[in-house]
Amino acid sequence: MSPSPSRRKRHAQAASSAGVITLKQVAQEAGVSPSTVSRILNGTATVSVDKKAAIDAAIAKLGFQPNPVARGLAGGRTLSIGVVTQTISSPFYGEALRGIEDQLEPAGYIPIFVSGHWREAEERKAISALLSRRVDALLVLAGRLPDEELQALSLRVPLVVVGRKLQGPQLFSLEFDNLTGARLAARHLLDLGHRRIAFIAGDPAHNDALDRLAGYRQALEEAGEPVDPTLILPGDFTETGGLLAATRLLESRQPFTAIFAANDQTAIGAALGLHRRNIRIPDDVSVVGFDDLAPARFATPPLTTVRQSVYEMGAQAAGAVLSLLRGEAPQVVLPVPELVPRESTRRLLR
Amino acid sequence: MSPSPSRRKRHAQAASSAGVITLKQVAQEAGVSPSTVSRILNGTATVSVDKKAAIDAAIAKLGFQPNPVARGLAGGRTLSIGVVTQTISSPFYGEALRGIEDQLEPAGYIPIFVSGHWREAEERKAISALLSRRVDALLVLAGRLPDEELQALSLRVPLVVVGRKLQGPQLFSLEFDNLTGARLAARHLLDLGHRRIAFIAGDPAHNDALDRLAGYRQALEEAGEPVDPTLILPGDFTETGGLLAATRLLESRQPFTAIFAANDQTAIGAALGLHRRNIRIPDDVSVVGFDDLAPARFATPPLTTVRQSVYEMGAQAAGAVLSLLRGEAPQVVLPVPELVPRESTRRLLR
DNA sequence: CTGAAAGCGCTTACAG
DNA sequence: CTGAAAGCGCTTACAG
């Protein structure tokens, strides 16, 4: 008997995914060594023209697709990017993820989305799971992790952060111009003659929220209007938060003629709160949102808001990741925020 | 000089992710062989109590986390599940993905979401990318792939499909009870005295859409009402589709007192169409949606709809994947559809 | 320009 | 119950 002649077959079941072609088979077909195939695959060295042709032909003929898992193990690259999102089901993150996906796909990278749910511990866990899967880079959308922690993280893996101001050799961040956007929104209301303008804030742990509040204040100050703290209500970027805030505002009996909400979802919740008390938009109260996502466009009445392309933000962030991976300095140009007047605002009648 | 003494260090840069602990180090620390560590990790064999204790201690001490990439290569498992979604940014898919994520996470699996955008070619490409990454199973949400193709796919990899009726040894599918749900919605309108009830359909390539239409017809027939084909308008499950359909309906000058839309997004688009013509909901026309997602709850007025837990659907589908992976027959119990009456419908006044 | 060989970090028949 | 060894499918210094 020949000694263990079936050794080769031990892993037969690992290849259960049918007749998967390996690099080795391509090499055989092309009459070269696996190393050479690998090299042309990775553009890692110059290869003679005829061999390249033979290999290309073999790849095409066999329909070879390199196994990213093996590449990951051997080369330390997995062609996957870990993306830490907060609430995968919100329209905001949905748009951003779409931008990321669209940008990464043509480059051959695949995003792996994990939700942090605005909880520090969960974000940390998500990142650890992503790292253990050897993602090539990380893209963190907002969240509550301390800046220092992200800074430290970027020592281990290329990192792009949305909604912070951070930088480092392998660290890049980008932000909307929330301040300008919010000033636009508030000024729009001021221009329409509104003076008692309430603001429903976003999650205070979120830079965007802080900047939008600052923009609101600034616009009022620029117009020489006092900032009345009783008109500033807490919110959390959700419809429920907006509904609650509007209800509280109404109960406080503070006079007001307009509401500027920190995002569209908040504005829509607030609109419902007004509706419940038979207050009509825009006849009785004007409402402005922020983001210009689908819910704003299709609200009844359609919501005046500030357009920030969340999709573009996602795409640019993903582009920055790709730059970092190539060892280049990311170059991003975000579209400037723009006011989109629709039917939820109107001139104040005296 | 000793011959190539630095061989060992060649891959130093692969371990760039800092001091990653390997299984080998755990074995050393515990004084056992790597095989044994692997075995207790996988529960693959009974191991003596003392060794197990030593290994557990070593794992804890070193903070060892097995490398899924290596596990994938060696064992043929990657602990990742490929999920083909259609529009990652829609509220519907957002909810479903959340359910999937929540179900998979505690089991140690990670979902990899890829969008098919309702295009056959893209779905095919997505699946191929997922397979090349050696996902352990596939979860396909709706889409346009022919049943036969999915059937064939399930020969290669465990497959769960949402929104079809398919089965096989490694194939499982689950569906909402759309027919019942749609009958509930239409009957609600009939009970309120409506007779001229328009229906805005969903994407006809989608089973859900067909079943909802069938439910609408059935309810009318049961009530002895004629089904008027001029009151059945095409749609595509989007707000824009709903808006267009409502506009066309109005322009057709067909009399109607209620609209049943194939999903919430369509209903919201239709509501905007009515609003543009100064038709009030529910005073002039009643509107019913389907799904009960956030946009329905926070619409103005809040939308009467049929509740189908999309989240639960996602979670159950993911649960089915896990069952398949364990070699068990999936056991799913979907909540029954339920009518949620809100403010967009009211009794027809004569 | 190119091949042979070692290695990535695991898993798993084999053989006690 | 457990170890030594081969192998998963690649990549990459080394040495021509």
Side-chain angles (χ1 to χ4, degrees):
Chain A
M1 284 170 249
S2 54
S4 59
S6 62
R7 280 256 152 192
R8 269 291 141 65
K9 284 181 184 150
R10 289 200 317 185
H11 281 271
Q13 107 282 22
S16 69
S17 306
V20 255
I21 304 300
T22 69
L23 178 145
K24 202 192 214 168
Q25 298 175 49
V26 172
Q28 226 150 33
E29 174 79 25
V32 301
S33 78
S35 327
T36 305
V37 178
S38 172
R39 286 192 189 96
I40 85 110
L41 239 40
N42 295 289
T44 267
T46 23
V47 173
S48 71
V49 202
D50 48 329
K51 299 222 170 185
K52 169 146 173 48
I55 291 169
D56 285 345
I59 289 177
K61 177 176 172 194
L62 302 177
F64 170 66
Q65 283 203 310
N67 178 338
V69 176
R71 294 180 106 164
L73 228 207
R77 311 191 323 148
T78 53
L79 293 179
S80 56
I81 309 291
V83 179
V84 179
T85 170
Q86 298 308 324
T87 323
I88 203 169
S89 59
S90 92
F92 183 91
Y93 287 101
E95 273 292 294
L97 301 194
R98 207 163 58 77
I100 292 169
E101 196 177 38
D102 285 357
Q103 182 76 15
L104 253 28
E105 200 263 359
Y109 283 85
I110 201 166
I112 301 186
F113 301 118
V114 185
S115 299
H117 300 116
W118 293 107
R119 283 183 219 118
E120 211 177 305
E122 278 189 58
E123 287 180 66
R124 208 165 273 132
K125 200 166 131 200
I127 287 175
S128 140
L130 255 11
L131 287 180
S132 90
R133 283 171 188 276
R134 306 301 190 269
V135 292
D136 294 343
L138 238 30
L139 177 40
V140 173
L141 302 174
R144 297 188 191 278
L145 250 22
D147 283 357
E148 305 71 48
E149 196 165 335
L150 292 172
Q151 201 92 48
L153 188 60
S154 75
L155 265 31
R156 299 181 52 186
V157 62
L159 172 63
V160 170
V161 182
V162 172
R164 312 265 186 122
K165 246 185 285 294
L166 292 170
Q167 49 176 311
Q170 277 201 121
L171 176 57
F172 186 79
S173 67
L174 61 171
E175 290 187 292
F176 282 138
D177 187 355
N178 289 297
L179 189 76
T180 298
R183 277 172 57 199
L184 247 36
R187 197 176 303 162
H188 170 67
L189 290 169
L190 288 162
D191 288 349
L192 291 176
H194 294 278
R195 288 297 170 267
R196 300 284 300 168
I197 303 170
F199 179 73
I200 306 179
D203 186 326
H206 202 315
N207 272 344
D208 291 352
L210 269 20
D211 290 348
R212 292 176 191 183
L213 172 56
Y216 159 80
R217 300 189 111 105
Q218 216 173 89
L220 288 182
E221 281 158 13
E222 283 166 5
E225 289 297 323
V227 174
D228 180 348
T230 62
L231 286 181
I232 300 180
L233 315 192
D236 60 1
F237 283 143
T238 71
E239 290 91 346
T240 306
L243 174 55
L244 254 74
T247 307
R248 287 235 297 265
L249 179 60
L250 258 14
E251 283 169 356
S252 77
R253 307 215 142 265
Q254 293 293 329
F256 68 96
T257 63
I259 295 178
F260 170 28
N263 74 350
D264 291 340
Q265 286 169 269
T266 301
I268 283 167
L272 179 55
L274 296 178
H275 171 80
R276 292 223 177 291
R277 304 285 181 122
N278 288 314
I279 296 169
R280 305 188 55 192
I281 301 170
D283 312 68
D284 304 323
V285 168
S286 286
V287 176
V288 181
F290 203 113
D291 285 341
D292 195 24
L293 297 172
R297 285 199 295 287
F298 293 99
T300 302
L303 197 62
T304 295
T305 188
V306 175
R307 174 157 183 75
Q308 284 282 29
S309 178
V310 179
Y311 174 88
E312 193 57 31
M313 166 65 96
Q316 300 259 6
V321 167
L322 261 17
S323 297
L324 243 34
L325 251 14
R326 283 190 303 260
E328 297 166 8
Q331 212 68 45
V332 322
V333 190
L334 284 174
V336 294
E338 215 174 315
L339 186 86
V340 184
R342 283 200 275 246
E343 301 166 35
S344 67
T345 48
R346 72 144 64 156
R347 178 160 296 282
L348 182 65
L349 308 171
R350 339 89 196 274
Chain B
M1 284 170 247
S2 54
S4 61
S6 62
R7 281 255 151 194
R8 266 292 142 64
K9 283 177 185 155
R10 288 200 316 188
H11 281 270
Q13 107 284 22
S16 69
S17 306
V20 256
I21 304 300
T22 69
L23 179 144
K24 202 193 215 171
Q25 297 175 49
V26 171
Q28 224 150 32
E29 174 79 25
V32 300
S33 78
S35 328
T36 305
V37 177
S38 173
R39 285 191 189 94
I40 84 112
L41 239 39
N42 296 290
T44 267
T46 24
V47 173
S48 72
V49 202
D50 49 331
K51 298 222 171 188
K52 171 147 172 48
I55 291 168
D56 285 345
I59 289 177
K61 178 177 170 194
L62 302 177
F64 169 66
Q65 282 203 310
N67 179 337
V69 176
R71 294 180 106 163
L73 229 208
R77 310 191 323 148
T78 53
L79 294 179
S80 57
I81 309 292
V83 180
V84 179
T85 169
Q86 298 306 325
T87 323
I88 202 171
S89 59
S90 91
F92 183 91
Y93 287 101
E95 273 291 295
L97 301 194
R98 208 163 57 78
I100 292 168
E101 196 178 37
D102 285 357
Q103 183 76 16
L104 252 29
E105 200 264 358
Y109 283 86
I110 202 165
I112 299 186
F113 301 117
V114 184
S115 299
H117 300 119
W118 292 108
R119 284 184 218 116
E120 212 177 304
E122 279 189 58
E123 287 180 66
R124 209 166 273 132
K125 201 166 128 199
I127 287 175
S128 141
L130 256 10
L131 288 179
S132 91
R133 284 172 187 275
R134 307 300 191 270
V135 292
D136 294 342
L138 236 32
L139 178 40
V140 174
L141 302 175
R144 296 189 191 277
L145 251 21
D147 283 358
E148 304 72 46
E149 197 165 334
L150 293 172
Q151 202 92 47
L153 187 60
S154 75
L155 265 30
R156 299 182 53 187
V157 62
L159 172 63
V160 170
V161 181
V162 171
R164 313 265 187 123
K165 246 184 284 295
L166 293 169
Q167 50 176 311
Q170 277 201 120
L171 176 56
F172 186 79
S173 68
L174 61 171
E175 291 187 291
F176 282 138
D177 186 354
N178 290 296
L179 189 78
T180 299
R183 278 172 58 199
L184 246 34
R187 196 176 302 162
H188 170 67
L189 290 169
L190 288 163
D191 287 348
L192 291 176
H194 294 278
R195 287 297 170 269
R196 299 283 301 166
I197 303 171
F199 179 73
I200 306 179
D203 185 328
H206 203 315
N207 271 345
D208 291 352
L210 269 21
D211 289 347
R212 290 175 193 184
L213 172 56
Y216 159 80
R217 299 191 110 105
Q218 214 174 89
L220 288 183
E221 281 158 12
E222 284 166 3
E225 289 297 322
V227 174
D228 180 348
T230 64
L231 286 182
I232 299 181
L233 314 196
D236 61 0
F237 282 144
T238 71
E239 290 92 347
T240 305
L243 173 56
L244 255 76
T247 307
R248 288 235 297 264
L249 179 59
L250 256 14
E251 283 168 356
S252 78
R253 306 218 142 265
Q254 294 292 329
F256 68 96
T257 63
I259 295 178
F260 170 29
N263 74 350
D264 291 340
Q265 285 169 269
T266 301
I268 283 167
L272 179 56
L274 298 177
H275 171 79
R276 293 223 178 291
R277 305 282 181 126
N278 287 315
I279 296 170
R280 305 188 54 192
I281 302 170
D283 311 68
D284 304 322
V285 168
S286 285
V287 175
V288 182
F290 203 112
D291 283 342
D292 195 24
L293 296 172
R297 285 200 295 285
F298 293 99
T300 302
L303 196 63
T304 296
T305 189
V306 176
R307 174 159 183 74
Q308 284 281 29
S309 178
V310 179
Y311 174 89
E312 192 58 31
M313 167 65 93
Q316 299 258 7
V321 167
L322 262 16
S323 298
L324 243 35
L325 250 15
R326 282 190 303 260
E328 297 167 8
Q331 212 68 46
V332 321
V333 190
L334 283 175
V336 295
E338 214 174 315
L339 185 88
V340 184
R342 284 200 274 246
E343 301 166 35
S344 66
T345 47
R346 72 144 66 157
R347 177 160 297 283
L348 181 66
L349 309 170
R350 337 100 193 274

